[in-house]
C-alpha cells in the first residue's frame, strides 16, 4: 500500500533537524513574551498568552539536550487537539511534502518515525507521545525533568 | 426522512425521562399506592417507546413497550407495585440508559435484551396476597427505609416530574452556555486591560466609563451564570437509586433524607461533585451505618439514617452528608496514619480531632478492616478531596464514635470568574483564590520562633507553622526583609499555616482558565489568568502545593 503524502515543517534545534506534520502545528510565532510557571521544570521557558489562553512554552532543545532554556527562537504552537503547548525551536527551514517511515520502535517518540529528505533521515517526533511524556514527567514532581 | 438532526434532542429528552423514571420507581417502592406516580411511570415508558420508535431505534422501543405493559398491569391493579417490579423496571431503565449512551456515541441502540424482555413479560407477583392493591392514599412518611425492606426517600413536596404550569422554557445546548461564559470571561480580561490604561492615562472620564463597563460586565456575567445554574436536585436525583442498591447489597437498613434540592449551583460544579457525593454515600453505608443487629445492641433503631442537606451560606453552597452510624475515633485514625508513615508521632500529637479526620483524605489512607466491593478500591477520600479542590471547594469532617459522622462540602456557586489575591514572590507574580485564604498578615519578627526544623509564629495563643512560598516554588530567598513579614494564612491538610510571600500586590476579579495537557498535571496550579496589562499569572492551590 502506498503511504499518503503529508506536509511537514522542517525545524532546526541545536544543529539537528526535525520534521513536524504541518497539520499538528496551529501557529508559528517569531516574537513572544512569557511569564514564569511556578514549580515547572527548567526546560519550560514560561507561559505565553496565545489568543487569551495561557499556553506553556517548552524549549525543545533544552528538553532534548539539557541545555539552559532560552528566551529567543521560533515558537510552534501545537494543535489544541493534541495539547496546550508551544515548542521553542531554533528556527524554521522550510515546508516539504513527503511520507514518513517507521525507523525505530513504536515507543521511541523522538525518532520512531522519520522523513527521508535530501539524502538525510530526519526524525519526525510524535507530538502526541511528547505531550504524554511531559504529562508523565509533571505528574511525578514539579521540579524534575525526564529526558527522552 | 433524515432524523439525525433530531438525535441530540432525542438523547436529552430520553435522559430526562429516565431520570424521572428512576426517581419514580424508587419513590413507588415506599408508597406503592401513589396513583400519580404509577401514572407517571407508565407515561414515561410510553413516551420513550414513542420517541425511540419515531427515531427508528427498535430495540429501545421494544424494551420501553414491555416496561409499559408491566406498568399497565400495575395501573389496572392486576399487580401490586412490589420490590420485584421495582428491580425489573430499574434494570430496564439502566439498559435504556446504556442504549441512549450507544446512540450518543456511535449512533446505535442495539443490545441483547431478549432475557430482560422475557423477565418483564413473564413477571408474576411474589404472592397472591400481593395482588391486592394497597389502599390508595397511604400516609407518606418523610423517610422510608432502604434495603432489605426497600424504599428510599426524598423530601416531600419535591416531585421531580412536576413542572410549573405555564412555565416557558427554551432548550439550549450546554456548549452555547459554556461559550457565553467564556466570552464574558474575555470581557472581564478586556475590562481589566482598559482599567489599566485608564489608570495610566489619568483621564477621569475614561475612568468613569471603565467603572460603568465594569459594573455592566459583572451584571452580564451574573445573568449568564444564572443560565447555567441547576438545582442541587439534579445531582441528588441519582442518590436514592444508588443508596437503594448499596443498602441492598450490604444487607443494611438505611433511610435517606434529602433537603435543599432547590439550591442552585453551576452545572460544571454539579457535574464535578456527582462522583464525590456517591463515594461519600457509599462510605457512609459501607463503613458508617452498622448492621441492624449491631445497631440494636448499641441501643439504636435497626434502620440507619443518612441525611443530605444543601444550603446557601453567603456566596457558597454547603452540602452536609450526615449519618447516625458508628462514627470515627480520631485516636485510631492518627495511629493508623502514623503506622503508614503518613505523619510523625509529633505531628499526630498536635492534631485536633477535626484535623485527624482529614487524614482520611490522604492518599492511601484507609482504616477499613476490609475493602469492600461497595466503596471500591479505586476512588478514595483523597480523590474526593482533590475533585473538590479542583473546583475551589473544601471539605471538613466531624465525627463522634458511636454517634455518627458528618461530612461538609463547601462549594462556590460558580467557578469561572474568581477573586484572587496577587502576591509577589522573588521575580514572580502569582495569585491565590481569595476563598482559599483565611487571612493576610504582616508577621512581626518577635512572634517567630523555631521548633526543631520548623519556623512557627504565634497568633494569639495559636502556634502556626510558617512556610516560605519561595522555597515551595523553588525560587531564591528574598534578602533584607523589613520589620513585618507578609504572609497569607491558608489551611494545609486541615491545619492553619502561614505562607511567607515577598509582597502583596492586590485583589482582582480574574477569568480563570484551566491549563490543558500537559501542564494540568503540575500539582498546585489551578490555572492561569490574563491580567489587565496582558500579563499571565498562575493561580495557585495552596493545599496542593505542599502535597
Amino acid at each position: 500500500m502506498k503511504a499518503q503524502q503529508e506536509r511537514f515543517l522542517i525545524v532546526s534545534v541545536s544543529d539537528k533537524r526535525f520534521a513536524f506534520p504541518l497539520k499538528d502545528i496551529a501557529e508559528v510565532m517569531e516574537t513572544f513574551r512569557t511569564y514564569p510557571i511556578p514549580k515547572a521544570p527548567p526546560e519550560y521557558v514560561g507561559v505565553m498568552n496565545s489568543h487569551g489562553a495561557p499556553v506553556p512554552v517548552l524549549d525543545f532543545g533544552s528538553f532534548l539536550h539539557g541545555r539552559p532554556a532560552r528566551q529567543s527562537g521560533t515558537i510552534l504552537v501545537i494543535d489544541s487537539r493534541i495539547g496546550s503547548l508551544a515548542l521553542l525551536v531554533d528556527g524554521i527551514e522550510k515546508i516539504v511534502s513527503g511520507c514518513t517511515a517507521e525507523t525505530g520502535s513504536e515507543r521511541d517518540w523522538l525518532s520512531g518515525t522519520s522523513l527521508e529528505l535530501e539524502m538525510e533521515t530526519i526524525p519526525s517526533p510524535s507530538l502526541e507521545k511528547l505531550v504524554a511524556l511531559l504529562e508523565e514527567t509533571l505528574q511525578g514532581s514539579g521540579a524534575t525533568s525526564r529526558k527522552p | 426522512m433524515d432524523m439525525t438532526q433530531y438525535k441530540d434532542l432525542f438523547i436529552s429528552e430520553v435522559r430526562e425521562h429516565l431520570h424521572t423514571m428512576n426517581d419514580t420507581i424508587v419513590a413507588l417502592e415506599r408508597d406503592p399506592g401513589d396513583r400519580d406516580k404509577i401514572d407517571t411511570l407508565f407515561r414515561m415508558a410510553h413516551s420513550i417507546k414513542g420517541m425511540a420508535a419515531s427515531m427508528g431505534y427498535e430495540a429501545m422501543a421494544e424494551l420501553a413497550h414491555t416496561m409499559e405493559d408491566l406498568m399497565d398491569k400495575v395501573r389496572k391493579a392486576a399487580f401490586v407495585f412490589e420490590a420485584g417490579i421495582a428491580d425489573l423496571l430499574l434494570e430496564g431503565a439502566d439498559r435504556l440508559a446504556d442504549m441512549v449512551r450507544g446512540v450518543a456515541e456511535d449512533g446505535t441502540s442495539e443490545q441483547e435484551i431478549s432475557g430482560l424482555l422475557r423477565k418483564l413479560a413473564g413477571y408474576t407477583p411474589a404472592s397472591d396476597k400481593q395482588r391486592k392493591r394497597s389502599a390508595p392514599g397511604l400516609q407518606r412518611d418523610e423517610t422510608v427505609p432502604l434495603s432489605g425492606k426497600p424504599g428510599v426517600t426524598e423530601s416531600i413536596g419535591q416531585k421531580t416530574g412536576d413542572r410549573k404550569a405555564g412555565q416557558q422554557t427554551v432548550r439550549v445546548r450546554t456548549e452555547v452556555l459554556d461559550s457565553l461564559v467564556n466570552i464574558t470571561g474575555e470581557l472581564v480580561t478586556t475590562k481589566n486591560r482598559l482599567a489599566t490604561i485608564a489608570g495610566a492615562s489619568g483621564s477621569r472620564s475614561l475612568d468613569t466609563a471603565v467603572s460603568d463597563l465594569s459594573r455592566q460586565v459583572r451584571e452580564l456575567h451574573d445573568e449568564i451564570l444564572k443560565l447555567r445554574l441547576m438545582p442541587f436536585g439534579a445531582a441528588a436525583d441519582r442518590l436514592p437509586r444508588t443508596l437503594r442498591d448499596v443498602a441492598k447489597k450490604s444487607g443494611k437498613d438505611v433511610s435517606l433524607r434529602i433537603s435543599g434540592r432547590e439550591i442552585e449551583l453551576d452545572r460544571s460544579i454539579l457535574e464535578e461533585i456527582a462522583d464525590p457525593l456517591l463515594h461519600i454515600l457509599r462510605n457512609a453505608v459501607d463503613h458508617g451505618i452498622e448492621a441492624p443487629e449491631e445497631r440494636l445492641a448499641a441501643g439504636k433503631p435497626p434502620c440507619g439514617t443518612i441525611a443530605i442537606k444543601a444550603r446557601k451560606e453567603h456566596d457558597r453552597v454547603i452540602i452536609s452528608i450526615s449519618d447516625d452510624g458508628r462514627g470515627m475515633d480520631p485516636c485510631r485514625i492518627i495511629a493508623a496514619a502514623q503506622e503508614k508513615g503518613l505523619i510523625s508521632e509529633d505531628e499526630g500529637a498536635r492534631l485536633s480531632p477535626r484535623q485527624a479526620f482529614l487524614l482520611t483524605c490522604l492518599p492511601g489512607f484507609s482504616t477499613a478492616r476490609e475493602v469492600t466491593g461497595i466503596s471500591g478500591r479505586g476512588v478514595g477520600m483523597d480523590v474526593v478531596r482533590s475533585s473538590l479542590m479542583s473546583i475551589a471547594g473544601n471539605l471538613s469532617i466531624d465525627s463522634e464514635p458511636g454517634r455518627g459522622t458528618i461530612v461538609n462540602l463547601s462549594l462556590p456557586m460558580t467557578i469561572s470568574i474568581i477573586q484572587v489575591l496577587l502576591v509577589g514572590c522573588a521575580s514572580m507574580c502569582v495569585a491565590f483564590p481569595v476563598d482559599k485564604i483565611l487571612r493576610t498578615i504582616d508577621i512581626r519578627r518577635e512572634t517567630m520562633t523555631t521548633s526543631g526544623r520548623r519556623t512557627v509564629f504565634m497568633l494569639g495563643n495559636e502556634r502556626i507553622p510558617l512556610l516560605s512560598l519561595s522555597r515551595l516554588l523553588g525560587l531564591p530567598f528574598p534578602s533584607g526583609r523589613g520589620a513585618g513579614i507578609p504572609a497569607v494564612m491558608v489551611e494545609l491538610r486541615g491545619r492553619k499555616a502561614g505562607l511567607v510571600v515577598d509582597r502583596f500586590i492586590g485583589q482582582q476579579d480574574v477569568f480563570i482558565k484551566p491549563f490543558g495537557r500537559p501542564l494540568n498535571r503540575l500539582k498546585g496550579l489551578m490555572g492561569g489568568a490574563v491580567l489587565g496589562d496582558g500579563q499571565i499569572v498562575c493561580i495557585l492551590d495552596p493545599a496542593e502545593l505542599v502535597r
Side-chain angles (χ1 to χ4, degrees):
Chain A
M1 194 171 71
K2 196 179 174 187
Q4 209 167 4
Q5 286 263 326
E6 210 180 332
R7 297 214 297 163
F8 292 89
L9 196 62
I10 307 297
V11 305
S12 59
V13 179
S14 306
D15 300 329
K16 288 206 170 77
R17 297 206 289 176
F18 295 92
F20 290 111
L22 202 56
K23 64 174 172 47
D24 292 344
I25 306 298
E27 193 174 0
V28 175
M29 297 164 69
E30 292 296 339
T31 56
F32 62 96
R33 182 167 178 194
T34 60
Y35 302 90
I37 308 172
K39 294 184 79 180
E43 56 268 25
Y44 286 86
V45 175
V47 61
M48 62 179 250
N49 185 344
S50 173
H51 306 289
V55 173
V57 179
L58 179 84
D59 183 334
F60 199 51
S62 170
F63 180 68
L64 292 178
H65 310 300
R67 72 177 190 199
R70 302 187 308 188
Q71 282 286 348
S72 61
T74 302
I75 292 279
L76 311 180
V77 181
I78 71 170
D79 192 287
S80 60
R81 282 169 299 185
I82 298 171
S84 173
L85 182 71
L87 298 181
L88 178 63
V89 299
D90 293 351
I92 290 181
E93 291 190 3
K94 56 187 158 187
I95 294 172
V96 299
S97 291
C99 301
T100 53
E102 302 295 328
T103 49
S105 81
E106 201 184 312
R107 295 183 61 182
D108 183 0
W109 69 274
L110 184 62
S111 51
T113 308
S114 300
L115 180 74
E116 283 297 328
L117 185 71
E118 297 156 1
M119 310 290 282
E120 187 187 348
T121 302
I122 300 176
S124 178
S126 160
L127 289 173
E128 181 61 51
K129 286 179 185 166
L130 168 64
V131 171
L133 178 64
L134 293 171
E135 279 187 313
E136 205 181 300
T137 308
L138 290 174
Q139 181 117 34
S141 121
T144 57
S145 103
R146 186 188 299 178
K147 299 295 179 290
Chain B
M1 185 181 165
D2 178 19
M3 303 295 281
T4 51
Q5 58 181 315
Y6 303 115
K7 198 172 91 173
D8 288 348
L9 188 61
F10 166 77
I11 291 167
S12 75
E13 288 200 340
V14 172
R15 281 182 174 157
E16 269 180 31
H17 280 51
L18 288 174
H19 259 306
T20 310
M21 194 178 250
N22 271 306
D23 289 349
T24 313
I25 295 167
V26 174
L28 267 172
E29 269 196 300
R30 72 177 158 88
D31 190 359
D34 188 326
R35 185 78 210 175
D36 284 350
K37 285 196 164 56
I38 290 171
D39 287 343
T40 300
L41 203 48
F42 177 82
R43 218 169 39 244
M44 291 296 120
H46 182 79
S47 299
I48 293 173
K49 178 184 77 173
M51 287 189 287
S54 67
M55 293 292 291
Y57 301 123
E58 287 172 16
M60 198 185 285
E62 191 180 1
L63 176 52
H65 174 70
T66 316
M67 291 166 73
E68 182 191 353
D69 276 352
L70 181 56
M71 276 314 298
D72 195 37
K73 288 174 186 157
V74 176
R75 217 161 62 124
K76 289 175 177 161
F79 293 167
V80 174
F81 191 94
E82 57 183 9
I85 294 179
D87 286 342
L88 270 180
L89 291 176
L90 287 172
E91 192 180 340
D94 286 347
R95 196 59 72 86
L96 285 171
D98 286 345
M99 290 171 156
V100 176
R101 204 172 303 122
V103 170
E105 284 167 6
D106 53 27
T108 173
S109 69
E110 292 312 311
Q111 282 209 12
E112 171 48 46
I113 52 168
S114 55
L116 178 57
L117 290 177
R118 270 198 302 277
K119 281 197 283 181
L120 282 162
Y123 182 79
T124 45
S127 70
D128 286 342
K129 191 181 165 189
Q130 287 174 308
R131 291 179 194 217
K132 294 175 185 172
R133 279 191 67 80
S134 50
L138 278 174
Q139 197 66 41
R140 286 173 66 172
D141 287 337
E142 193 171 310
T143 59
V144 175
L146 295 161
S147 80
K149 302 164 210 163
V152 185
T153 33
E154 54 196 60
S155 298
I156 291 174
Q158 307 281 355
K159 290 186 191 173
T160 341
D162 283 358
R163 298 243 191 270
K164 284 180 190 166
Q167 191 177 39
Q168 292 194 335
T169 56
V170 176
R171 204 174 281 268
V172 181
R173 285 159 57 92
T174 50
E175 294 90 336
V176 176
L177 294 178
D178 290 346
S179 170
L180 277 174
V181 169
N182 282 336
I183 293 167
T184 319
E186 296 301 343
L187 273 175
V188 170
T189 305
T190 309
K191 181 265 296 175
N192 286 342
R193 223 167 86 207
L194 280 174
T196 306
I197 295 167
S201 74
S203 159
R204 184 175 286 185
S205 54
L206 183 56
D207 236 6
T208 311
V210 170
S211 163
D212 288 348
L213 177 68
S214 182
R215 181 177 44 78
Q216 287 153 2
V217 169
R218 169 57 66 186
E219 282 171 12
L220 177 66
H221 177 244
D222 289 347
E223 288 304 309
I224 287 173
L225 286 183
K226 278 185 202 160
L227 292 176
R228 288 169 54 94
L229 292 177
M230 288 176 72
F232 172 61
D237 284 348
R238 295 167 65 191
L239 305 177
R241 165 72 198 275
T242 303
L243 212 66
R244 171 194 186 273
D245 295 347
V246 176
K248 266 197 160 184
K249 204 169 175 181
S250 62
K252 293 176 181 174
D253 287 346
V254 192
S255 71
L256 173 64
R257 296 179 184 187
I258 300 175
S259 60
R261 298 166 72 106
E262 72 288 354
I263 300 290
E264 290 181 315
L265 287 141
D266 188 274
R267 185 177 62 83
S268 58
I269 292 175
L270 273 181
E271 281 170 6
E272 197 62 43
I273 62 165
D275 285 341
L277 273 177
L278 285 179
H279 187 76
I280 294 167
L281 265 185
R282 287 194 186 110
N283 261 347
V285 178
D286 201 16
H287 306 306
I289 301 290
E290 312 91 330
E293 55 276 15
E294 192 183 336
R295 291 181 64 85
L296 282 170
K300 294 179 178 180
C303 175
T305 300
I306 295 176
I308 300 176
K309 295 176 188 166
R311 67 180 194 279
K312 261 175 92 168
E313 246 178 44
H314 306 295
D315 59 346
R316 293 183 78 81
V317 171
I318 312 295
I319 297 173
S320 309
I321 304 105
S322 60
D323 68 66
D324 65 350
R326 58 173 66 94
M328 294 191 287
D329 178 356
C331 297
R332 198 174 143 225
I333 288 171
I334 291 170
Q338 286 168 341
E339 200 177 303
K340 287 168 197 296
L342 296 171
I343 53 166
S344 66
E345 206 165 303
D346 186 38
E347 283 174 319
R350 290 200 304 267
L351 292 179
S352 69
R354 287 186 73 180
Q355 290 167 342
F357 297 134
L358 283 179
L359 293 172
T360 57
C361 297
L362 293 179
F365 185 93
S366 173
T367 57
R369 290 186 194 93
E370 58 177 306
V371 177
T372 71
I374 294 171
S375 285
R377 288 166 182 272
V379 184
M381 285 301 287
D382 58 323
V383 180
V384 167
R385 193 152 189 246
S386 293
S387 297
L388 291 170
M389 292 292 186
S390 72
I391 51 170
N394 251 319
L395 174 145
S396 67
I397 304 172
D398 213 350
S399 188
E400 201 177 325
R403 299 289 297 272
T405 300
I406 179 163
V407 180
N408 282 313
L409 314 182
S410 167
L411 307 164
M413 288 164 67
T414 62
I415 53 170
S416 58
I417 294 176
I418 60 170
Q419 194 170 46
V420 296
L421 174 70
L422 298 167
V423 299
C425 193
S427 58
M428 219 180 254
C429 171
V430 292
F432 289 103
V434 165
D435 62 8
K436 287 191 183 278
I437 296 175
L438 301 173
R439 62 177 287 187
T440 56
I441 186 169
D442 265 320
I443 302 168
R444 284 178 291 121
R445 287 188 181 278
E446 58 268 27
T447 63
M448 290 166 57
T449 53
T450 49
S451 165
R453 290 173 57 195
R454 290 163 175 269
T455 304
V456 297
F457 73 100
M458 297 302 293
L459 185 65
N461 294 325
E462 256 184 305
R463 273 157 58 95
I464 297 177
L466 210 49
L467 301 165
S468 158
L469 185 61
S470 294
R471 175 171 285 177
L472 287 173
L473 302 182
L475 300 171
F477 277 113
S479 56
R481 288 190 182 280
I485 296 175
V488 288
M489 271 184 50
V490 294
E491 197 174 283
L492 304 176
R493 295 185 178 184
R495 300 180 61 189
K496 285 180 190 165
L499 288 179
V500 174
V501 301
D502 287 2
R503 61 199 177 280
F504 299 124
I505 297 172
Q507 284 190 26
Q508 198 171 115
D509 279 347
V510 295
F511 179 36
I512 181 169
K513 295 182 178 180
F515 290 120
R517 297 177 66 203
L519 212 56
N520 55 356
R521 297 297 178 96
L522 191 56
K523 289 238 185 278
L525 292 192
M526 291 175 67
V530 184
L531 301 184
D533 57 2
Q535 177 186 179
I536 291 196
V537 67
C538 289
I539 299 163
L540 303 178
D541 181 346
E544 290 291 319
L545 274 180
V546 294
R547 282 169 82 95

